[in-house]
Amino acid sequence: MPHSFLTDGAEIYRQSFAIIRSEADLSRLDPDEETVVVRMIHAAGLVGLEAHVAFTPGAASAARAALQAGAPILCDVRMVSEAITRPRLPAGNRVICTLNDPQVPARAARLGTTRTAAAVDLWHDHLEGAVVAIGNAPTALFHLLNLLENPDCPRPAAIIGCPVGFVGAAESKAALMQTPPCPAITVHGRLGGSAITVAAINALAGERE
C-alpha cells in the first residue's frame, strides 16, 4: 500500500516553522534574532537549540544591514559556501571560501596549523565590513580572533561563529563571546555546524521565511 505524505513544499515549510514557534521558547529574542533562531532550529531539527544560541547586542541587525549593503560572506569550508541560497542574497553578495586556494597547504605547514586556519589569512583583502560564517572549524575561529587582536586588522561587520565538535569548538565560541571583536552570533557548547551556520546566513539575507 503506497505511503501517504505531504507533497506541497511550501506547506511543509509553513507547518515546520509553525511547529517550531509553538514548541520553542523564543521569548527573549528580538524579531531579527527570532528569525535566525527559528531557521537554525529548522536546520538542526532540534527544538531546544534556542537555549544555546547567543547574540551580542544588535548582532542580527548588524549582519542583516551589512548583507543588504553588499558585504561579502567569508566561509571557512565549502559546505558553508555552497549551501548559501544565492537568490536570497539581497545585493548579489560575493561568497568567498579560500580553503582550496593553492597557497593554503604550504601556509598551513609553515604555521603548523590546520588548512582551515591558514585559509583565514587569505581573507585579509575582503575582511573589512564582511560577514564571516564559520560553521565547521574551531581552528579557523581561533585564528581569526587572534588576527583581530591586532588593531590594524580589518574589522568584519559581524561574525557568525558556530563551529561544531568535541575539541576546541566550545572553547573557540566562548572566546568569541567573551571579548567580541565585532557583532557576533554563536551556538554555545559542542553544538553547531555548517547547516546551522548557513541557516543563520539565509535568515539574515532575506525577509521571507
Short mmCIF file of all heavy atoms in Angstrom, two decimals, residues 122-186:
data_model
loop_
_atom_site.label_atom_id
_atom_site.label_comp_id
_atom_site.label_asym_id
_atom_site.label_seq_id
_atom_site.Cartn_x
_atom_site.Cartn_y
_atom_site.Cartn_z
N LEU A 122 44.01 34.41 4.11
CA LEU A 122 43.74 34.90 2.76
C LEU A 122 42.47 35.74 2.68
O LEU A 122 42.08 36.20 1.61
CB LEU A 122 43.64 33.72 1.79
CG LEU A 122 44.86 32.79 1.75
CD1 LEU A 122 44.66 31.70 0.71
CD2 LEU A 122 46.14 33.57 1.48
N TRP A 123 41.82 35.95 3.83
CA TRP A 123 40.62 36.80 3.86
C TRP A 123 40.96 38.29 3.96
O TRP A 123 40.06 39.13 3.84
CB TRP A 123 39.76 36.44 5.08
CG TRP A 123 39.10 35.10 5.01
CD1 TRP A 123 39.13 34.22 3.97
CD2 TRP A 123 38.31 34.51 6.04
NE1 TRP A 123 38.40 33.10 4.29
CE2 TRP A 123 37.89 33.24 5.55
CE3 TRP A 123 37.93 34.90 7.31
CZ2 TRP A 123 37.09 32.39 6.31
CZ3 TRP A 123 37.14 34.05 8.07
CH2 TRP A 123 36.72 32.81 7.57
N HIS A 124 42.21 38.63 4.19
CA HIS A 124 42.58 39.99 4.59
C HIS A 124 41.96 41.07 3.69
O HIS A 124 41.40 42.06 4.17
CB HIS A 124 44.10 40.13 4.61
CG HIS A 124 44.56 41.45 5.13
ND1 HIS A 124 44.69 42.58 4.31
CD2 HIS A 124 44.93 41.86 6.37
CE1 HIS A 124 45.10 43.59 5.03
NE2 HIS A 124 45.27 43.19 6.28
N ASP A 125 42.05 40.88 2.38
CA ASP A 125 41.58 41.91 1.45
C ASP A 125 40.06 42.02 1.39
O ASP A 125 39.54 42.98 0.80
CB ASP A 125 42.13 41.66 0.04
CG ASP A 125 43.63 41.85 -0.03
OD1 ASP A 125 44.21 42.47 0.88
OD2 ASP A 125 44.24 41.38 -1.02
N HIS A 126 39.35 41.05 1.96
CA HIS A 126 37.89 41.04 1.91
C HIS A 126 37.26 41.26 3.28
O HIS A 126 36.03 41.36 3.38
CB HIS A 126 37.39 39.69 1.36
CG HIS A 126 38.06 39.24 0.11
ND1 HIS A 126 37.83 39.83 -1.11
CD2 HIS A 126 38.98 38.25 -0.11
CE1 HIS A 126 38.57 39.22 -2.04
NE2 HIS A 126 39.27 38.27 -1.45
N LEU A 127 38.07 41.32 4.32
CA LEU A 127 37.55 41.22 5.69
C LEU A 127 36.81 42.47 6.15
O LEU A 127 35.82 42.37 6.90
CB LEU A 127 38.71 40.92 6.64
CG LEU A 127 38.37 40.42 8.05
CD1 LEU A 127 37.47 39.20 8.01
CD2 LEU A 127 39.65 40.12 8.82
N GLU A 128 37.24 43.65 5.72
CA GLU A 128 36.62 44.90 6.18
C GLU A 128 35.14 44.93 5.81
O GLU A 128 34.77 44.88 4.63
CB GLU A 128 37.32 46.10 5.56
CG GLU A 128 36.81 47.44 6.08
CD GLU A 128 37.17 47.69 7.53
OE1 GLU A 128 38.30 47.35 7.94
OE2 GLU A 128 36.30 48.22 8.24
N GLY A 129 34.27 44.97 6.83
CA GLY A 129 32.83 45.06 6.60
C GLY A 129 32.17 43.78 6.17
O GLY A 129 30.97 43.77 5.86
N ALA A 130 32.89 42.67 6.14
CA ALA A 130 32.34 41.40 5.68
C ALA A 130 31.49 40.74 6.76
O ALA A 130 31.56 41.09 7.95
CB ALA A 130 33.46 40.45 5.27
N VAL A 131 30.70 39.75 6.35
CA VAL A 131 30.02 38.85 7.28
C VAL A 131 30.77 37.52 7.23
O VAL A 131 30.90 36.91 6.17
CB VAL A 131 28.54 38.67 6.90
CG1 VAL A 131 27.89 37.61 7.80
CG2 VAL A 131 27.79 39.99 7.00
N VAL A 132 31.29 37.11 8.37
CA VAL A 132 32.06 35.88 8.47
C VAL A 132 31.14 34.75 8.91
O VAL A 132 30.35 34.91 9.85
CB VAL A 132 33.22 36.04 9.48
CG1 VAL A 132 33.91 34.70 9.73
CG2 VAL A 132 34.22 37.08 8.98
N ALA A 133 31.24 33.60 8.23
CA ALA A 133 30.42 32.43 8.54
C ALA A 133 31.34 31.23 8.77
O ALA A 133 31.87 30.66 7.81
CB ALA A 133 29.44 32.15 7.41
N ILE A 134 31.53 30.87 10.04
CA ILE A 134 32.38 29.73 10.39
C ILE A 134 31.49 28.65 10.99
O ILE A 134 30.94 28.82 12.08
CB ILE A 134 33.49 30.15 11.37
CG1 ILE A 134 34.43 31.15 10.70
CG2 ILE A 134 34.27 28.93 11.87
CD1 ILE A 134 35.53 31.69 11.60
N GLY A 135 31.35 27.55 10.26
CA GLY A 135 30.43 26.50 10.69
C GLY A 135 31.06 25.17 10.96
O GLY A 135 30.38 24.24 11.41
N ASN A 136 32.38 25.05 10.72
CA ASN A 136 32.99 23.74 10.83
C ASN A 136 34.22 23.72 11.72
O ASN A 136 34.39 22.80 12.52
CB ASN A 136 33.35 23.23 9.43
CG ASN A 136 33.99 21.87 9.44
OD1 ASN A 136 35.22 21.76 9.49
ND2 ASN A 136 33.17 20.82 9.42
N ALA A 137 35.10 24.71 11.58
CA ALA A 137 36.46 24.61 12.10
C ALA A 137 36.72 25.55 13.26
O ALA A 137 36.85 26.76 13.07
CB ALA A 137 37.46 24.90 10.98
N PRO A 138 36.84 25.02 14.49
CA PRO A 138 37.24 25.87 15.61
C PRO A 138 38.58 26.55 15.39
O PRO A 138 38.79 27.69 15.82
CB PRO A 138 37.31 24.88 16.79
CG PRO A 138 36.47 23.72 16.40
CD PRO A 138 36.57 23.63 14.91
N THR A 139 39.50 25.87 14.69
CA THR A 139 40.81 26.48 14.45
C THR A 139 40.69 27.73 13.60
O THR A 139 41.44 28.69 13.79
CB THR A 139 41.76 25.48 13.77
OG1 THR A 139 41.15 24.99 12.56
CG2 THR A 139 42.08 24.31 14.69
N ALA A 140 39.74 27.76 12.67
CA ALA A 140 39.53 28.96 11.85
C ALA A 140 39.04 30.10 12.72
O ALA A 140 39.48 31.26 12.57
CB ALA A 140 38.53 28.67 10.73
N LEU A 141 38.12 29.81 13.64
CA LEU A 141 37.61 30.87 14.51
C LEU A 141 38.69 31.37 15.45
O LEU A 141 38.87 32.59 15.62
CB LEU A 141 36.40 30.36 15.30
CG LEU A 141 35.72 31.37 16.22
CD1 LEU A 141 35.36 32.66 15.49
CD2 LEU A 141 34.48 30.75 16.87
N PHE A 142 39.44 30.47 16.07
CA PHE A 142 40.54 30.89 16.93
C PHE A 142 41.55 31.76 16.17
O PHE A 142 42.02 32.78 16.66
CB PHE A 142 41.26 29.68 17.52
CG PHE A 142 40.71 29.17 18.82
CD1 PHE A 142 40.42 27.82 18.98
CD2 PHE A 142 40.51 30.02 19.89
CE1 PHE A 142 39.93 27.34 20.19
CE2 PHE A 142 40.03 29.55 21.11
CZ PHE A 142 39.74 28.20 21.25
N HIS A 143 41.89 31.32 14.95
CA HIS A 143 42.90 32.06 14.17
C HIS A 143 42.38 33.45 13.82
O HIS A 143 43.12 34.44 13.91
CB HIS A 143 43.26 31.28 12.91
CG HIS A 143 44.45 31.81 12.19
ND1 HIS A 143 45.72 31.77 12.72
CD2 HIS A 143 44.58 32.42 10.98
CE1 HIS A 143 46.58 32.32 11.87
NE2 HIS A 143 45.91 32.73 10.81
N LEU A 144 41.12 33.54 13.45
CA LEU A 144 40.53 34.84 13.15
C LEU A 144 40.55 35.75 14.38
O LEU A 144 40.90 36.93 14.29
CB LEU A 144 39.09 34.67 12.65
CG LEU A 144 38.32 35.97 12.38
CD1 LEU A 144 38.99 36.79 11.27
CD2 LEU A 144 36.87 35.67 12.01
N LEU A 145 40.20 35.20 15.54
CA LEU A 145 40.21 36.01 16.76
C LEU A 145 41.62 36.50 17.08
O LEU A 145 41.80 37.65 17.51
CB LEU A 145 39.66 35.20 17.93
CG LEU A 145 38.17 34.85 17.84
CD1 LEU A 145 37.76 33.96 19.01
CD2 LEU A 145 37.29 36.09 17.79
N ASN A 146 42.61 35.64 16.85
CA ASN A 146 44.00 36.07 17.06
C ASN A 146 44.37 37.21 16.12
O ASN A 146 45.02 38.19 16.53
CB ASN A 146 44.96 34.90 16.88
CG ASN A 146 44.91 33.93 18.04
OD1 ASN A 146 44.45 34.26 19.13
ND2 ASN A 146 45.38 32.71 17.82
N LEU A 147 43.96 37.11 14.85
CA LEU A 147 44.26 38.17 13.90
C LEU A 147 43.60 39.48 14.32
O LEU A 147 44.19 40.56 14.21
CB LEU A 147 43.77 37.78 12.50
CG LEU A 147 44.49 36.63 11.80
CD1 LEU A 147 43.81 36.32 10.47
CD2 LEU A 147 45.96 36.95 11.59
N LEU A 148 42.37 39.39 14.83
CA LEU A 148 41.61 40.59 15.17
C LEU A 148 42.10 41.24 16.46
O LEU A 148 41.65 42.35 16.80
CB LEU A 148 40.12 40.26 15.26
CG LEU A 148 39.45 39.94 13.92
CD1 LEU A 148 38.03 39.42 14.14
CD2 LEU A 148 39.44 41.15 13.01
N GLU A 149 43.00 40.59 17.17
CA GLU A 149 43.61 41.25 18.32
C GLU A 149 44.52 42.39 17.89
O GLU A 149 44.82 43.30 18.67
CB GLU A 149 44.38 40.23 19.16
CG GLU A 149 43.49 39.30 19.95
CD GLU A 149 44.26 38.38 20.86
OE1 GLU A 149 45.51 38.47 20.89
OE2 GLU A 149 43.62 37.56 21.54
N ASN A 150 44.95 42.35 16.63
CA ASN A 150 45.75 43.44 16.07
C ASN A 150 44.80 44.58 15.68
O ASN A 150 43.94 44.39 14.82
CB ASN A 150 46.52 42.94 14.86
CG ASN A 150 47.39 44.01 14.22
OD1 ASN A 150 47.28 45.20 14.53
ND2 ASN A 150 48.25 43.60 13.31
N PRO A 151 44.94 45.76 16.28
CA PRO A 151 44.00 46.85 15.96
C PRO A 151 44.07 47.29 14.50
O PRO A 151 43.14 47.95 14.01
CB PRO A 151 44.43 47.97 16.90
CG PRO A 151 45.83 47.64 17.30
CD PRO A 151 45.94 46.16 17.29
N ASP A 152 45.15 46.95 13.79
CA ASP A 152 45.26 47.32 12.39
C ASP A 152 44.60 46.32 11.45
O ASP A 152 44.52 46.55 10.24
CB ASP A 152 46.74 47.45 12.00
CG ASP A 152 47.43 48.60 12.73
OD1 ASP A 152 46.76 49.60 13.01
OD2 ASP A 152 48.63 48.48 13.04
N CYS A 153 44.13 45.19 12.01
CA CYS A 153 43.46 44.19 11.16
C CYS A 153 42.09 44.71 10.74
O CYS A 153 41.36 45.28 11.56
CB CYS A 153 43.30 42.88 11.94
SG CYS A 153 42.55 41.55 10.96
N PRO A 154 41.72 44.54 9.46
CA PRO A 154 40.38 44.96 9.04
C PRO A 154 39.30 44.28 9.87
O PRO A 154 39.45 43.14 10.29
CB PRO A 154 40.31 44.50 7.57
CG PRO A 154 41.73 44.36 7.14
CD PRO A 154 42.49 43.94 8.36
N ARG A 155 38.21 45.00 10.12
CA ARG A 155 37.16 44.53 11.00
C ARG A 155 35.97 44.03 10.20
O ARG A 155 35.43 44.77 9.37
CB ARG A 155 36.64 45.69 11.78
CG ARG A 155 36.90 46.04 13.19
CD ARG A 155 37.36 45.14 14.20
NE ARG A 155 38.78 45.01 14.24
CZ ARG A 155 39.49 44.45 15.19
NH1 ARG A 155 38.92 43.93 16.21
NH2 ARG A 155 40.77 44.35 15.16
N PRO A 156 35.50 42.81 10.42
CA PRO A 156 34.25 42.39 9.79
C PRO A 156 33.05 43.09 10.40
O PRO A 156 33.12 43.60 11.53
CB PRO A 156 34.21 40.88 10.07
CG PRO A 156 35.06 40.68 11.27
CD PRO A 156 36.09 41.76 11.26
N ALA A 157 31.96 43.11 9.67
CA ALA A 157 30.73 43.69 10.20
C ALA A 157 30.10 42.78 11.25
O ALA A 157 29.47 43.25 12.20
CB ALA A 157 29.73 43.93 9.07
N ALA A 158 30.28 41.47 11.07
CA ALA A 158 29.70 40.51 12.01
C ALA A 158 30.37 39.16 11.80
O ALA A 158 30.82 38.83 10.70
CB ALA A 158 28.19 40.38 11.81
N ILE A 159 30.41 38.38 12.88
CA ILE A 159 30.90 37.01 12.82
C ILE A 159 29.78 36.08 13.26
O ILE A 159 29.23 36.24 14.36
CB ILE A 159 32.12 36.79 13.74
CG1 ILE A 159 33.30 37.67 13.31
CG2 ILE A 159 32.53 35.32 13.77
CD1 ILE A 159 34.46 37.66 14.29
N ILE A 160 29.44 35.13 12.41
CA ILE A 160 28.57 34.03 12.80
C ILE A 160 29.49 32.84 13.01
O ILE A 160 29.96 32.20 12.05
CB ILE A 160 27.50 33.75 11.72
CG1 ILE A 160 26.66 35.00 11.51
CG2 ILE A 160 26.62 32.57 12.13
CD1 ILE A 160 25.74 34.92 10.31
N GLY A 161 29.83 32.58 14.26
CA GLY A 161 30.83 31.57 14.59
C GLY A 161 30.17 30.39 15.29
O GLY A 161 29.93 30.45 16.50
N CYS A 162 29.91 29.33 14.55
CA CYS A 162 29.20 28.17 15.10
C CYS A 162 29.91 26.86 14.79
O CYS A 162 29.27 25.88 14.37
CB CYS A 162 27.78 28.11 14.54
SG CYS A 162 26.79 29.59 14.80
N PRO A 163 31.24 26.79 14.96
CA PRO A 163 31.90 25.52 14.68
C PRO A 163 31.39 24.42 15.60
O PRO A 163 31.02 24.68 16.75
CB PRO A 163 33.39 25.82 14.92
CG PRO A 163 33.40 27.01 15.82
CD PRO A 163 32.19 27.81 15.43
N VAL A 164 31.41 23.21 15.09
CA VAL A 164 30.84 22.06 15.79
C VAL A 164 31.97 21.13 16.22
O VAL A 164 33.02 21.09 15.58
CB VAL A 164 29.85 21.32 14.86
CG1 VAL A 164 30.54 20.76 13.63
CG2 VAL A 164 29.10 20.21 15.59
N GLY A 165 31.77 20.38 17.29
CA GLY A 165 32.74 19.34 17.59
C GLY A 165 33.08 19.21 19.06
O GLY A 165 32.52 19.88 19.93
N PHE A 166 34.04 18.31 19.31
CA PHE A 166 34.40 17.92 20.66
C PHE A 166 35.74 18.48 21.11
O PHE A 166 36.07 18.41 22.30
CB PHE A 166 34.43 16.39 20.75
CG PHE A 166 33.09 15.77 20.48
CD1 PHE A 166 32.72 15.40 19.20
CD2 PHE A 166 32.18 15.60 21.51
CE1 PHE A 166 31.47 14.85 18.95
CE2 PHE A 166 30.93 15.06 21.27
CZ PHE A 166 30.58 14.68 19.99
N VAL A 167 36.54 19.00 20.17
CA VAL A 167 37.86 19.54 20.52
C VAL A 167 37.94 20.98 20.03
O VAL A 167 38.01 21.23 18.83
CB VAL A 167 38.99 18.70 19.89
CG1 VAL A 167 40.35 19.30 20.23
CG2 VAL A 167 38.92 17.25 20.36
N GLY A 168 37.89 21.91 20.95
CA GLY A 168 38.09 23.31 20.61
C GLY A 168 36.84 24.07 20.21
O GLY A 168 36.87 25.31 20.18
N ALA A 169 35.76 23.37 19.89
CA ALA A 169 34.57 24.08 19.40
C ALA A 169 33.97 24.96 20.50
O ALA A 169 33.77 26.16 20.31
CB ALA A 169 33.54 23.10 18.87
N ALA A 170 33.67 24.37 21.64
CA ALA A 170 33.08 25.14 22.74
C ALA A 170 34.01 26.27 23.17
O ALA A 170 33.57 27.40 23.43
CB ALA A 170 32.76 24.23 23.92
N GLU A 171 35.31 25.96 23.22
CA GLU A 171 36.28 26.94 23.67
C GLU A 171 36.41 28.12 22.70
O GLU A 171 36.52 29.28 23.12
CB GLU A 171 37.64 26.28 23.87
CG GLU A 171 37.69 25.26 25.00
CD GLU A 171 37.17 23.88 24.61
OE1 GLU A 171 36.69 23.70 23.46
OE2 GLU A 171 37.23 22.96 25.45
N SER A 172 36.39 27.83 21.40
CA SER A 172 36.51 28.91 20.42
C SER A 172 35.31 29.84 20.48
O SER A 172 35.44 31.07 20.35
CB SER A 172 36.69 28.34 19.01
OG SER A 172 35.51 27.70 18.55
N LYS A 173 34.13 29.27 20.69
CA LYS A 173 32.92 30.10 20.74
C LYS A 173 32.84 30.89 22.04
O LYS A 173 32.37 32.04 22.05
CB LYS A 173 31.69 29.21 20.52
CG LYS A 173 31.65 28.64 19.11
CD LYS A 173 30.47 27.73 18.85
CE LYS A 173 30.65 26.38 19.50
NZ LYS A 173 29.57 25.43 19.09
N ALA A 174 33.33 30.30 23.13
CA ALA A 174 33.40 31.05 24.38
C ALA A 174 34.34 32.24 24.24
O ALA A 174 34.06 33.34 24.72
CB ALA A 174 33.85 30.13 25.51
N ALA A 175 35.46 32.02 23.54
CA ALA A 175 36.43 33.11 23.32
C ALA A 175 35.82 34.22 22.47
O ALA A 175 36.02 35.41 22.73
CB ALA A 175 37.69 32.56 22.65
N LEU A 176 35.04 33.83 21.45
CA LEU A 176 34.38 34.83 20.60
C LEU A 176 33.47 35.73 21.42
O LEU A 176 33.48 36.95 21.26
CB LEU A 176 33.57 34.11 19.51
CG LEU A 176 32.62 34.97 18.69
CD1 LEU A 176 33.38 36.00 17.85
CD2 LEU A 176 31.75 34.08 17.78
N MET A 177 32.69 35.13 22.32
CA MET A 177 31.68 35.90 23.04
C MET A 177 32.23 36.58 24.29
O MET A 177 31.63 37.50 24.81
CB MET A 177 30.50 34.99 23.40
CG MET A 177 29.85 34.34 22.20
SD MET A 177 29.34 35.49 20.89
CE MET A 177 27.79 36.10 21.55
N GLN A 178 33.38 36.11 24.77
CA GLN A 178 33.97 36.72 25.96
C GLN A 178 34.46 38.14 25.67
O GLN A 178 34.23 39.06 26.45
CB GLN A 178 35.12 35.87 26.48
CG GLN A 178 35.75 36.42 27.75
CD GLN A 178 36.83 35.50 28.31
OE1 GLN A 178 37.14 34.45 27.75
NE2 GLN A 178 37.42 35.89 29.42
N THR A 179 35.15 38.30 24.55
CA THR A 179 35.62 39.62 24.14
C THR A 179 35.35 39.77 22.65
O THR A 179 36.25 39.67 21.81
CB THR A 179 37.12 39.81 24.43
OG1 THR A 179 37.40 39.40 25.76
CG2 THR A 179 37.53 41.26 24.27
N PRO A 180 34.10 40.00 22.27
CA PRO A 180 33.77 40.02 20.85
C PRO A 180 34.45 41.18 20.12
O PRO A 180 34.34 42.33 20.55
CB PRO A 180 32.25 40.16 20.83
CG PRO A 180 31.85 40.57 22.20
CD PRO A 180 32.94 40.20 23.13
N PRO A 181 35.14 40.89 19.02
CA PRO A 181 35.82 41.95 18.27
C PRO A 181 34.88 42.74 17.37
O PRO A 181 35.28 43.77 16.81
CB PRO A 181 36.84 41.17 17.44
CG PRO A 181 36.20 39.84 17.23
CD PRO A 181 35.42 39.55 18.47
N CYS A 182 33.65 42.26 17.24
CA CYS A 182 32.63 42.89 16.41
C CYS A 182 31.32 42.21 16.77
O CYS A 182 31.30 41.26 17.56
CB CYS A 182 32.98 42.73 14.92
SG CYS A 182 32.97 41.01 14.35
N PRO A 183 30.19 42.63 16.22
CA PRO A 183 28.94 41.91 16.48
C PRO A 183 29.08 40.43 16.16
O PRO A 183 29.72 40.06 15.17
CB PRO A 183 27.94 42.60 15.55
CG PRO A 183 28.48 44.00 15.41
CD PRO A 183 29.97 43.84 15.40
N ALA A 184 28.49 39.57 17.00
CA ALA A 184 28.73 38.13 16.86
C ALA A 184 27.50 37.32 17.24
O ALA A 184 26.71 37.72 18.10
CB ALA A 184 29.92 37.71 17.73
N ILE A 185 27.39 36.17 16.58
CA ILE A 185 26.32 35.20 16.84
C ILE A 185 27.00 33.84 16.99
O ILE A 185 27.89 33.49 16.21
CB ILE A 185 25.31 35.15 15.67
CG1 ILE A 185 24.69 36.53 15.43
CG2 ILE A 185 24.23 34.10 15.93
CD1 ILE A 185 23.89 36.62 14.13
N THR A 186 26.55 33.05 17.97
CA THR A 186 27.14 31.73 18.14
C THR A 186 26.12 30.76 18.70
O THR A 186 25.01 31.14 19.08
CB THR A 186 28.38 31.80 19.06
OG1 THR A 186 29.15 30.60 18.89
CG2 THR A 186 27.99 31.95 20.52
#
